[in-house]
Amino acid sequence: MSWNARALRRAFLEFFQEKGHRLLPSDSLVPKDPSLLFTSAGMVQFKPYFLGAAQPPAPRVTTVQKCLRTTDIDAVGDLSHLTFFEMLGNFSFGDYFKREAILWAWEFLTERLQVDPSRLQFTVFEEDDEAFDIWHREVGIEANRIWRLGEKTNFWPANAISEGPNGPCGPCSEIFYDTRIDTGCQNPACGPACDCGRWLEIWNLVFMQYERTEENGKPKLIPLPKKNIDTGMGLERTAAVLMELESPYETDVFLPILRRIETLAGVRYKGQADEKSDAAIRLIADHIRAATFSIADGVIPQNEGRGYVLRRLIRRAITRGLRILHLEKPFLADLVPAVVEALGDQYPEIVQRQSYIETTLRFEEERFRQTLQAGLTRLEEMLQSLPPNAVLPGDRAFTLYDTYGFPLELTREMAAERGI
Ligand code: GLY
């Protein structure tokens, strides 16, 4: 079978419906949970069910959830990190637990998707003998392909025991795909815990069984009324694996956007020996998806809160477009039809609000370009007054940011170009 992201989305949701799950819609990117700026995982809309504070519509559900995470924003432009992505998930509210979650993940990957089992490796929380035994004894995975790791990687949320946040949490088991890319890693124990870039996390199975609270300032894990399952599979990454592509950017949920950027900029992705321009294309493609979906869900560019996250995404995309791809005229609104082409069949809100999204982006981009021009002139004067190898004083960089809204990363880049 030849895969693409659309087919993977459909296959996942069908598989879990066959296993008795009710299909529920994606929640908004703006969550009801006031402790979060954006919906960052499939489980966010289900927190009250895990805590036993509300009755779920069904004991098993499955979703594809639009998510926005900016924790890795500085890595975006590389081959795997995204801010906006779709997360496929299956959830159990006090119904099935570890055994079914693991056996079904294995069945879906190796039988439905036909992923080569020899390319998969697994992690479990260091104390979780039960999950280890299910992978080892029931699935038949050799012990040296199951890694026991600590709460940083194998607890959800990461480090929740020692650092919080309070709320539902639990140990998790992650599934990694061996890209077999030779990263030059010399680590003889190279495995999913190694950050050399060879191992791609594709699915996280969370065994949501505790509520974290604090007592006298000390963390405390209280068993939840019922044991639950929360899983998250990255749609774009897994589609790239199935399609044997170098990155998610070449899958069908990105390709129209990539092509449109190429046309506007007059360059070819991977068409020249210029990695900087490919990275800029990837960053813009990521950020325009994030901006389009945020605006569709009611976020407007502002100087604080979620509006600031949106503004930052927009400004980063414009700056990269201008400086690396020489996109001298506003271009973001012109990318929205391509986002709609890639994702409008699944998310009708971006089709319905397309012209509003374009207007919002056009207005923001025109305003920012004026600011940018004023800041560029001012920065130019500052840099010219300094000898090479000098240091641009921090208060000047701050004035540029504070008075002109000029991004610090751009100040850094332009100064570095002159050895300052
Ligand atoms: N909630 C599981 C995950 O986002 O990985």
Side-chain angles (χ1 to χ4, degrees):
M1 147 132 203
S2 77
W3 287 103
N4 62 20
R6 279 184 175 80
L8 170 60
R9 205 196 268 133
R10 204 170 35 244
F12 185 98
L13 299 174
E14 275 172 14
F15 178 85
F16 282 99
Q17 286 177 91
E18 287 162 23
K19 305 285 183 199
H21 294 62
R22 184 182 299 181
L23 175 63
L24 292 184
S26 170
D27 198 14
S28 167
L29 267 188
V30 178
K32 286 171 205 74
D33 180 344
S35 72
L36 291 170
L37 284 182
F38 288 98
T39 297
S40 55
M43 56 78 73
V44 168
Q45 64 167 320
F46 302 132
K47 270 192 194 180
Y49 307 148
F50 292 135
L51 291 169
Q55 193 58 31
R60 302 174 181 188
V61 307
T62 184
T63 58
V64 54
Q65 173 66 52
K66 43 190 180 174
C67 296
L68 185 61
R69 285 187 194 178
T70 51
T71 30
D72 294 321
I73 193 166
D74 289 323
V76 174
D78 72 358
L79 295 174
S80 62
H81 290 91
L82 304 172
T83 58
F84 174 85
F85 61 97
E86 295 176 72
M87 184 181 280
L88 295 161
N90 55 291
F91 304 87
S92 151
F93 308 119
D95 185 14
Y96 64 87
F97 198 45
K98 287 184 194 178
R99 188 167 176 277
E100 290 86 344
I102 290 176
L103 295 182
W104 287 339
W106 176 254
E107 181 185 337
F108 181 66
L109 284 172
T110 59
E111 291 180 27
R112 196 64 61 99
L113 302 186
Q114 302 267 305
V115 175
D116 174 358
S118 74
R119 295 186 77 155
L120 298 174
Q121 297 221 4
F122 311 86
T123 65
V124 295
F125 182 53
E126 52 202 354
E127 294 161 20
D128 193 350
D129 295 334
E130 190 187 351
F132 185 95
D133 283 348
I134 297 168
W135 281 118
H136 184 47
R137 291 187 209 287
E138 298 202 42
V139 181
I141 306 295
E142 302 87 328
N144 64 0
R145 288 171 57 210
I146 312 168
W147 304 71
R148 288 179 183 265
L149 302 175
E151 63 162 330
K152 181 163 182 261
T153 53
N154 280 73
F155 218 82
W156 170 266
N159 282 326
I161 307 175
S162 50
E163 293 173 12
N166 287 339
C169 63
C172 60
S173 177
E174 295 184 320
I175 302 174
F176 284 79
Y177 182 75
D178 183 356
T179 64
R180 295 194 179 150
I181 293 170
D182 180 3
T183 60
C185 171
Q186 302 294 320
N187 178 2
C190 182
C194 186
D195 60 6
C196 69
R198 173 173 156 185
W199 302 92
L200 192 66
E201 181 204 329
I202 53 173
W203 203 348
N204 187 12
L205 317 179
V206 184
F207 313 124
M208 197 73 87
Q209 62 190 103
Y210 301 110
E211 180 179 2
R212 184 197 191 273
T213 57
E214 274 166 22
E215 206 172 74
N216 303 323
K218 290 219 177 76
K220 190 171 167 198
L221 296 184
I222 303 171
L224 287 168
K226 291 176 181 164
K227 292 178 176 169
N228 310 285
I229 289 295
D230 151 34
T231 87
M233 170 190 269
L235 173 83
E236 299 83 349
R237 279 186 181 185
T238 310
V241 164
L242 295 176
M243 297 165 80
E244 297 179 32
L245 296 170
E246 185 188 39
S247 80
Y249 293 95
E250 292 155 65
T251 66
D252 44 312
V253 283
F254 271 103
L255 213 49
I257 309 169
L258 223 64
R259 294 285 171 254
R260 186 76 190 128
I261 300 171
E262 288 181 323
T263 306
L264 292 175
V267 293
R268 291 249 0 120
Y269 183 66
K270 288 183 167 178
Q272 55 274 316
D274 177 8
E275 173 47 28
K276 253 184 140 178
S277 125
D278 287 348
I281 293 175
R282 289 193 289 264
L283 180 138
I284 294 167
D286 170 81
H287 287 11
I288 189 63
R289 295 192 341 150
T292 298
F293 276 86
S294 304
I295 297 168
D297 279 348
V299 184
I300 43 173
Q302 277 171 332
N303 279 342
E304 57 188 17
R306 56 178 70 91
Y308 178 67
V309 176
L310 170 61
R311 178 160 276 170
R312 187 160 170 235
L313 288 162
I314 292 173
R315 291 182 169 189
R316 281 165 54 96
I318 297 168
T319 316
R320 226 46 78 95
L322 180 65
R323 302 256 308 137
I324 311 286
L325 302 177
H326 310 292
L327 286 158
E328 305 293 340
K329 293 203 211 98
F331 62 93
L332 284 182
D334 292 336
L335 298 177
V336 176
V339 181
V340 169
E341 186 187 334
L343 291 153
D345 55 344
Q346 179 69 22
Y347 300 100
E349 63 273 27
I350 61 170
V351 183
Q352 283 150 16
R353 295 178 206 146
Q354 179 173 345
S355 90
Y356 166 72
I357 298 165
E358 289 173 6
T359 309
T360 306
L361 286 171
R362 199 167 286 120
F363 182 73
E364 179 71 6
E365 181 161 5
E366 276 164 10
R367 255 184 46 167
F368 180 58
R369 280 182 180 259
Q370 287 162 9
T371 309
L372 204 55
Q373 206 41 57
L376 277 173
T377 310
R378 194 77 194 85
L379 175 60
E380 203 58 55
E381 286 165 12
M382 289 180 190
L383 294 177
Q384 272 174 16
S385 71
L386 292 169
N389 299 323
V391 174
L392 179 75
D395 60 350
R396 300 250 180 126
F398 180 77
T399 306
L400 283 169
Y401 170 74
D402 191 48
T403 312
Y404 298 93
F406 198 75
L408 180 62
E409 63 171 4
L410 188 51
T411 302
R412 278 211 186 96
E413 254 174 46
M414 290 184 62
E417 279 167 15
R418 290 159 200 243
I420 292 174

